[in-house]
Amino acid sequence: MKYILITIFSFTAAITLPAQNLYFNIGVGSMNYGGDLQQKDITFNQAGGAFSLGLSYRFSDHFSVSSAYTFGVIKANDKLNPNRNSLRNLNFKSNINEGNILVEAQLKSVPGTAKFTPYLFGGLAVFHFNPYTYDTAGIKAFLQPLRTEGQGLAAYPDRKIYNLTQFAIPFGVGLRYALSENILVSGELGFRKLFTDYLDDASRTYADTALLRAANGALSAELSYRGDELKPPEPFSTDSKRGNPNHNDSYYTFLLKLSFSINTRNSSGSGISRRIQKQTECPRKVM
């Protein structure tokens, strides 16, 4: 897959760099999404878990480049939203697999002249998603092949079948603290600007269930409109909004990260290393 190839390529490139400024990063935390099945853009409500593995190379006191693989779970259910959208009765879940390349800028030199600093980051990512739900019999069903909003049908020429692997623009902020010269701990909030409104398989108005049934089968019609599962059932209308096509979906992570310096030898060739060594060595006796 593209995101895996990008990550492997970036790791390989990073390993060829001087080792004294190379860090191995591991992060754990949560992932959530913003979209038609969430009430707020940023919330812990219905969040899933997330973890990341990566490498970063610090090429100056304030700048570094990194690459990481991030895995997380996003999910949402209308039944958990106390507003009229609960009558829509949609729900979904999806794994997110992401490979990214980032540039990072930190305010202070950590490790180095300071122990604590805020930082910013941004870059490019490739991610894969595949939304699914469960039918009334409890059987798992992936939603994209069912084309629940009539994607690809002649009756809806403006509705294209969405790709499950796409580009994203990651960016965010964080705080970093040096536990030692070789171990750093960070907390960061990372956002992704996406170019799809179908993380949750909901974007526009309802499609005609008769057309869906004829073209894609009974399951497509069943999972497109789920208001009839309620008691009393919610009346169906093709004019009703299933989602909002004017705002793309997004996903974001809260991660706590540990970074370990990969120092295979002490080197005086790095400006960062020389400065740290100069700060810690004893002054020479002057005759």
Side-chain angles (χ1 to χ4, degrees):
M1 293 182 181
K2 292 181 181 179
Y3 55 88
I4 295 176
L5 292 175
I6 286 179
T7 304
I8 292 174
F9 174 80
S10 303
F11 282 5
T12 303
I15 290 172
T16 65
L17 296 170
Q20 63 268 20
N21 298 330
L22 189 64
Y23 288 84
F24 171 73
N25 308 311
I26 181 170
V28 295
S30 65
M31 179 180 286
N32 209 340
Y33 107 109
D36 297 301
L37 274 67
Q38 277 283 21
Q39 289 183 293
K40 298 179 180 179
D41 291 333
I42 302 177
T43 177
F44 283 106
N45 180 37
Q46 307 186 63
F51 76 88
S52 69
L53 294 172
L55 293 173
S56 60
Y57 176 71
R58 185 180 178 196
F59 58 86
S60 76
D61 289 342
H62 301 284
F63 293 95
S64 62
V65 294
S66 67
S67 179
Y69 164 73
T70 301
F71 172 83
V73 178
I74 57 173
K75 55 186 177 180
N77 192 325
D78 278 337
K79 291 181 180 178
L80 301 179
N81 292 325
N83 59 22
R84 181 167 173 79
N85 282 345
S86 62
L87 300 178
R88 182 177 52 187
N89 199 36
L90 294 179
N91 68 84
F92 88 103
K93 192 173 183 179
S94 179
N95 294 338
I96 298 289
N97 290 275
E98 176 195 285
N100 64 51
I101 300 174
L102 303 174
V103 176
E104 183 184 290
Q106 61 180 11
L107 183 63
K108 298 179 181 179
S109 179
V110 176
T113 58
K115 300 272 288 182
F116 176 81
T117 186
Y119 61 93
L120 303 173
F121 62 88
L124 181 66
V126 177
F127 73 99
H128 181 81
F129 69 107
N130 198 359
Y132 63 89
T133 188
Y134 293 88
D135 64 17
T136 53
I139 299 174
K140 183 177 181 178
F142 287 97
L143 294 165
Q144 188 251 24
L146 297 177
R147 306 178 188 180
T148 55
E149 292 191 353
Q151 299 97 326
L153 295 184
Y156 305 99
D158 60 333
R159 303 187 184 188
K160 307 301 181 183
I161 300 172
Y162 57 89
N163 294 321
L164 297 177
T165 299
Q166 302 205 20
F167 286 99
I169 299 176
F171 61 96
V173 297
L175 297 173
R176 173 174 295 120
Y177 180 77
L179 296 176
S180 70
E181 180 183 332
N182 296 316
I183 302 177
L184 312 175
V185 60
S186 307
E188 67 179 40
L189 170 61
F191 299 92
R192 277 75 171 173
K193 176 178 173 55
L194 305 186
F195 304 95
T196 180
D197 191 34
Y198 280 108
L199 280 187
D200 48 18
D201 193 63
S203 178
R204 298 172 178 262
T205 57
Y206 286 96
D208 189 321
T209 54
L211 293 178
L212 293 179
R213 188 174 292 106
N216 305 324
L219 187 60
S220 175
E222 174 188 335
L223 298 182
S224 171
Y225 171 69
R226 309 198 69 170
D228 56 352
E229 298 174 19
L230 300 173
K231 298 183 183 304
E234 180 72 6
F236 172 78
S237 172
T238 54
D239 295 327
S240 298
K241 285 187 176 181
R242 198 169 184 266
N244 183 356
N246 297 320
H247 296 283
N248 285 340
D249 294 334
S250 64
Y251 66 91
Y252 49 93
T253 53
F254 295 92
L255 292 177
L256 181 64
K257 296 173 66 175
L258 280 174
S259 301
F260 304 92
S261 177
I262 305 175
N263 288 330
T264 58
R265 66 185 184 277
N266 291 327
S267 172
S268 60
S270 165
I272 298 171
S273 300
R274 289 201 307 271
R275 187 181 63 257
I276 294 174
Q277 181 180 358
K278 184 177 181 181
Q279 291 171 344
T280 56
E281 66 184 4
C282 296
R284 296 181 179 179
K285 183 177 180 180
V286 179
M287 299 301 292

